[in-house]
Amino acid sequence: MQEDLFKRLVSHCKEYGFIYPSSELYDGLGGIYDYGPMGAELKNNIKEYWWKAIVQMHENIVGLDSAIFMHPKIWKASGHVDAFNDPLIDNKDSKKRYRADQLIEGEIDKLEAKINKEVEKARGRFENFDEAMFRSTNARVVEWANRADEIAKRLANAMRANDMADLKALIEELQIADPESGSRNWTEVRQFNLMFSTQLSNVAGEEGKLYLRPETAQGIFVNFLNVQKTTRQKVPFGIAQIGKAFRNEIVARQFIFRMREFEQMEMQFFVRPGTEMEWYEYWKAKRMAWHKAVSPAEKLRFKDHDNLAHYANAAVDVQFDFPFGFKELEGVHSRTDFDLGSHQALSGRKIQYFDPELNESYIPYVVETSVGVDRMFLAVLSNALVDETVPDAQGEDSTRTVLRIAPALAPVKCAVLPIVRNKEELVEKARNVFDRLKLNFPCQYDEKDAIGRRYRRQDAVGTPFCITIDFETMDNDTVTIRERDSMQQERVPVSKVVEIVREKTDMVRLLEGLG
Ligand code: GAP
């Protein structure tokens, strides 16, 4: 069922101009996607929602737009040259490459799926079913749960210790086969660095090696002093940026969930050492509220990291219930003074903040919030796409596909539809209304096909309002305005249309709810 939804989503994205596979003329390029006309609008709205909630609404957070290319030493200092690796394994028969940790996680997922199936079976059998009791007492479920737990612990330990041999041993013990070919003929597991690199034209060899940034955060760290001095911000304060990031993912999969070129919205919040856990909790709550304003609460949860990254002393994921299960949507990390401290050490330049209240200098600690634009896009769309049965013009059942996107994020805010296209004065009036609306919102004019089909086209891209110009408009300067979700129509004066659409689609509504 969920798998079907995912396939539907991918084809819907292509059909309605949200997302196309990149380089499709040449059979595509793995893990790279292009955003079409609807996708570009939705993506911009997501970025605007983030930027306004983070930068515009906080006096002590400022924006930045740093370059993608940076001095290669930055990636040495940040630890990415040495530690930004994934464990790679090849199948010798199929020649396919996999992430060893993901193959092992796949086994844990299988055990969890077996447990869930057993729970659902029992739920159907017993009245007043006590799920917690069943999970803790049913012998088979307990055995599978313990097994999943053991595997997860061993995986976490091997990853923490960089023990590639143990990952290989675990794959052999679990008798994991290549998901495509069924072969168990594996190579050894080895570390694979995820950074893409290129070369400067005027410097030969290692010295001229440049990396495409794998996170936007380092651009913020290396500009900390510039920004603090030019804005005279006092700790605690934040620097935010939105930008492209690149990772040579071994297995790019699940559509735009794991890409090789993607976009991040990151904010580094600089705090006094010792206060970072308070700020960590503060930003966890803030970021969850931001997500809940546009997605249902039951699709969101926190998941603490089992494995802390080399820079963190606490880390949590905001997970979203995607069609393929709960997965990371955003990370909130307490990054200590690792990054600023490392840049200070490697550059030999002092990166300190003089705190006038304490009368002392220190390297600030950092709490980071980091969310992928593309993952947010996938979360919004997968939650919004609905096929529903509704009455047609004759009162018969018909199916409509509707994107129930929060109106403030919708790519097109309203569509103007003349009821017929062969009446010149009616079309002229519709064009007039459209010209007025397009100054205010992304708006579409559509006169082709029967009105019902035009409504369906707008439903499928999530347009919150359709404005129909009909014969009555010519008499009394009123139009009908149809709301996407309820399909209710109301007759209103033309002079009120801009106000009505703005009231419902303005991002201010979303931001007000965030407090
Ligand atoms: N600066 C911290 C950092 O980059 P991360 O957890 O590796 O942390 C943050 O990435 C967010 O970036 C993730 O929660 C996810 O939304 C997004 N992201 C990471 N890798 C991605 C990929 N390959 N494709 C799409 N989005 C990705």
Side-chain angles (χ1 to χ4, degrees), residues 214-215 217 247 249 256-260 262 264 266 311 328-331 333 335 368 370-372 374-375:
E215 62 170 11
R247 294 184 190 179
E249 298 284 355
I256 55 168
F257 181 80
R258 194 173 299 285
M259 305 160 89
R260 296 197 166 101
F262 56 100
Q264 289 185 315
E266 299 203 292
Y311 49 71
E328 174 184 349
L329 169 59
E330 165 153 10
H333 312 125
R335 285 180 83 132
E368 160 186 79
S370 174
V371 56
D374 315 85
R375 272 195 204 173

Side-chain angles (χ1 to χ4, degrees), residues 87-289:
L88 169 73
I89 191 165
D90 289 303
N91 187 280
K92 291 185 199 163
D93 295 326
S94 70
K95 311 281 181 240
K96 292 265 175 215
R97 302 204 126 166
Y98 294 97
R99 261 174 67 175
D101 56 329
Q102 285 179 348
L103 287 176
I104 297 165
E105 276 164 6
E107 292 304 295
I108 300 171
D109 289 346
K110 277 187 208 158
L111 285 164
E112 275 166 6
K114 274 163 85 167
I115 294 171
N116 289 339
K117 205 166 156 198
E118 205 66 13
V119 169
E120 288 319 308
K121 257 174 33 196
R123 195 190 306 283
R125 272 204 314 270
F126 304 113
E127 248 177 63
N128 301 328
F129 177 61
D130 183 340
E131 183 177 331
M133 171 77 95
F134 181 78
R135 280 180 182 269
S136 61
T137 52
N138 179 279
R140 263 192 299 186
V141 167
V142 171
E143 189 197 321
W144 291 332
N146 287 342
R147 185 88 195 101
D149 203 38
E150 258 170 47
I151 299 171
K153 280 199 184 115
R154 178 133 163 231
L155 172 63
N157 286 338
M159 292 292 286
R160 203 171 301 123
N162 276 328
D163 189 344
M164 299 298 109
D166 199 43
L167 288 180
K168 172 76 188 289
L170 194 49
I171 285 173
E172 281 174 347
E173 282 165 39
L174 295 170
Q175 302 195 329
I176 297 177
D178 179 341
E180 290 206 11
S181 67
S183 157
R184 295 199 177 89
N185 192 7
W186 296 111
T187 61
E188 295 308 307
V189 179
R190 57 205 186 281
Q191 293 283 26
F192 177 81
N193 192 282
L194 297 184
M195 284 196 294
F196 283 103
S197 65
T198 185
Q199 189 73 30
L200 268 178
S201 61
N202 58 348
V203 187
E206 272 299 298
E207 289 283 288
K209 190 171 180 182
L210 284 188
Y211 297 101
L212 276 78
R213 65 181 178 198
E215 62 170 11
T216 61
Q218 294 306 321
I220 293 179
F221 289 123
V222 297
N223 275 296
F224 167 75
L225 285 181
N226 281 337
V227 175
Q228 195 276 321
K229 284 190 180 134
T230 52
T231 60
R232 288 173 286 114
Q233 287 283 350
K234 290 194 168 69
V235 164
F237 78 96
I239 306 176
Q241 86 166 320
I242 300 177
K244 288 269 183 167
F246 304 83
R247 294 184 190 179
N248 200 356
E249 298 284 355
I250 296 168
V251 190
R253 59 178 183 177
Q254 285 153 332
F255 195 33
I256 55 168
F257 181 80
R258 194 173 299 285
M259 305 160 89
R260 296 197 166 101
E261 173 180 341
F262 56 100
E263 223 170 338
Q264 289 185 315
M265 305 185 279
E266 299 203 292
M267 193 273 295
Q268 317 300 129
F269 199 70
F270 299 92
V271 304
R272 268 185 202 161
T275 64
E276 71 273 16
M277 288 328 274
E278 280 162 49
W279 286 111
Y280 174 69
E281 292 304 328
Y282 173 88
W283 281 110
K284 265 176 74 174
K286 275 267 179 194
R287 295 304 302 144
M288 188 55 107

